[in-house]
């Protein structure tokens, strides 16, 4: 029998490299998006900074605070702010939000190192700061790299001081120092991976010059506190009401000779935050209401009033109902949520060629093959996950294929290899249709995560098509 190649092509599913099918128009736009994304990563290294950058970009693109709007009409572009760490952008559609809406939800928090409430101590004529890490990290990633410090200190009189040390080239940086290999054998040699560096060993070097007065105790600590007092007007007690974080002090860059990838801290999940933001900014007068939800606290379980489990989100939907139709009943709210389509926009793990054995390659996400649709996350027999319905996946297949979006299905590693969670299951509690969609990363939750420029662009394109759906 003669093999009919065209029949093979018709019947087999084959996924292709974005590069092979991308239009020249897309290729020319792609690096515009990735340059702007790199800029976003450098400006938005914490959730507070991500919110500030979002407001700056949103206002440049015609969005204004909901506080300035007594009512909302189709085409209006507004943002809602929650405690400087959580923001929602919306463009009001022609159809009532009770009947349909499209929401893309990404998180703007990333794993990092936070200072403890009483962090400062002196030992061996050096000042160190005690820390408690935030989110799922491999602690050994965080030693021997330059760190920047960001955050706020709230004084007793209510004044809030902004802190950012390390992002200006003339600024000093901080570091957590590891044991040298020559002498580390006994203390570290037999430790398991998770304990190579222990949580209580993540102490940050912050000073080493003593106060001139040789009579005082803890001369280096005193000198350090004097510097802080001169710069910020604070005393040691003010750390009690501070929120200070350390993040890698290096900026995002293109990776590889061909500049096909991007390396940078916090791409989980600022790659989805940025692309959902850029896509809603590029949306005009949509048929149905478009919503971009940028949320905090995903990396610690979505609890807290700025996380996806906060009742702030339903309060925003209620406000949209009230300001578009004059009032909002509970039944209006539930109609809106039931008829809302949600992309939980979060990253997936792309296959790393050196560690490909953790994946089942036929169902894994691959670099450069487009944005990844993750039907379920969780672990151990789909435990603790939203598993999206066939009908919704089918709807998105058509939407993305029609819009020229390269996309792939991706499962989180081999069955029983591990697991992961996103905000998808929390949004599904409102009875909306929800699925995860985002690009694959290499080295997720490391201090320098890697994405592919073509996947970044296809993520943007997918969100744009979704916002412009009906
Ligand atoms: Mn994530
Ligand atoms: Mn994460």
């Amino acid at each position: 029998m003669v093999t009919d190649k065209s029949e093979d092509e018709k019947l087999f599913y084959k996924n292709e490299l974005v590069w092979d099918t991308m239009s020249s128009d897309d290729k020319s736009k792609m690096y515009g998006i990735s340059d702007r994304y790199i800029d976003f990563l450098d400006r938005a290294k914490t959730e507070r900074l991500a919110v500030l950058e979002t407001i700056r970009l949103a206002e440049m693109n015609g969005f204004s605070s909901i506080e300035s709007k007594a009512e909302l009409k189709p085409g209006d572009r507004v943002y809602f702010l929650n405690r400087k760490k959580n923001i929602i952008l919306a463009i009001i559609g022609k159809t009532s939000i009770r009947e349909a809406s499209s929401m893309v939800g990404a998180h703007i928090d990333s794993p990092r190192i936070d200072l403890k409430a009483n962090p400062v101590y002196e030992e061996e004529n050096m000042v160190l700061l005690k820390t408690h890490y935030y989110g799922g990290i491999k602690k050994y990633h965080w030693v021997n790299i330059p760190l920047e410090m960001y955050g706020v200190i709230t004084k007793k009189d209510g004044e809030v001081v902004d802190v950012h040390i390390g992002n200006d080239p003339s600024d000093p940086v901080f570091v957590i120092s590891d044991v040298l290999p020559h002498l580390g054998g006994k203390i570290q040699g037999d430790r398991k991976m998770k304990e190579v560096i222990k949580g209580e060993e993540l102490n940050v070097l912050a000073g080493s010059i003593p106060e001139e007065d040789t009579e005082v105790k803890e001369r280096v600590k005193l000198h350090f506190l004097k510097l802080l007092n001169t710069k910020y007007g604070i005393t040691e007690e003010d750390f009690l009401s501070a929120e200070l974080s350390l993040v890698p002090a290096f900026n995002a860059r293109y990776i590889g000779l061909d500049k096909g990838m991007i390396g940078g801290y916090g791409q989980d999940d600022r790659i989805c935050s940025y692309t959902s933001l850029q896509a809603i900014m590029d949306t005009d007068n949509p048929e149905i209401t478009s919503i971009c939800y940028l949320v905090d606290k995903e990396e610690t379980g979505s609890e807290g009033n700025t996380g996806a489990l906060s009742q702030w989100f339903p309060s925003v939907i209620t406000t949209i109902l009230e300001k578009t139709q004059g009032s909002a009943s509970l039944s209006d709210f539930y109609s809106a949520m039931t008829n809302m389509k949600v992309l939980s926009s979060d990253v997936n793990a792309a296959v790393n060629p050196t560690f490909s054995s953790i994946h089942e390659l036929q169902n894994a996400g691959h670099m450069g093959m487009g944005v990844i649709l993750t039907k379920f996350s969780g672990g151990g027999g789909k435990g603790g996950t939203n598993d999206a319905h066939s009908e919704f996946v089918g709807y998105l297949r058509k939407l993305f294929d029609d819009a020229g979006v390269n996309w792939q299905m991706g499962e989180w590693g081999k069955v029983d290899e591990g697991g992961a969670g996103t905000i998808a299951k929390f949004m599904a509690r409102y009875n909306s249709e929800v699925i995860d969609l985002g690009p694959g990363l290499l080295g997720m939750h490391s201090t320098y995560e890697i994405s592919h420029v073509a996947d970044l662009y296809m993520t943007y394109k997918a969100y744009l098509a979704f916002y412009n759906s009906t």
Side-chain angles (χ1 to χ4, degrees), residues 234-271:
I234 62 158
T235 66
E236 187 177 19
E237 194 179 347
D238 290 312
F239 277 105
L240 298 177
S241 50
E243 199 170 54
L244 295 168
S245 304
L246 292 141
V247 297
F250 27 73
N251 284 344
R253 306 280 292 269
Y254 286 106
I255 302 267
L257 268 187
D258 53 12
K259 296 188 171 180
M261 294 175 284
I262 294 167
Y265 161 71
Q267 299 202 60
D268 172 12
D269 184 34
R270 296 191 191 109
I271 192 165

Side-chain angles (χ1 to χ4, degrees), residues 106-107 109-111 267-270 272 298-299 345-348 412 421-423 436 441 444-445 449:
H107 66 94
D109 63 318
S110 295
Q267 299 202 60
D268 172 12
D269 184 34
R270 296 191 191 109
C272 296
E298 193 277 340
E299 296 294 357
S345 51
D346 211 337
V347 293
N348 195 320
W412 273 92
T422 65
I423 65 165
D436 282 299
L441 295 183
M444 191 190 298
H445 280 213
E449 301 171 307

Side-chain angles (χ1 to χ4, degrees), residues 46-47 85 110-117 119 129-135 137 142 149-151 176 199 202 204 242-247 265 297 300:
T46 66
E47 62 275 9
K85 293 182 175 180
S110 295
R112 57 169 195 257
I113 308 281
D114 288 344
L115 292 197
K116 288 189 182 184
L129 305 173
K130 291 175 181 286
T131 68
H132 194 140
Y133 64 96
Y134 173 97
I137 61 168
W142 290 80
M149 188 185 292
Y150 290 109
I176 298 166
L202 292 170
V204 180
E243 199 170 54
L244 295 168
S245 304
L246 292 141
V247 297
Y265 161 71
K297 300 279 190 282
T300 51

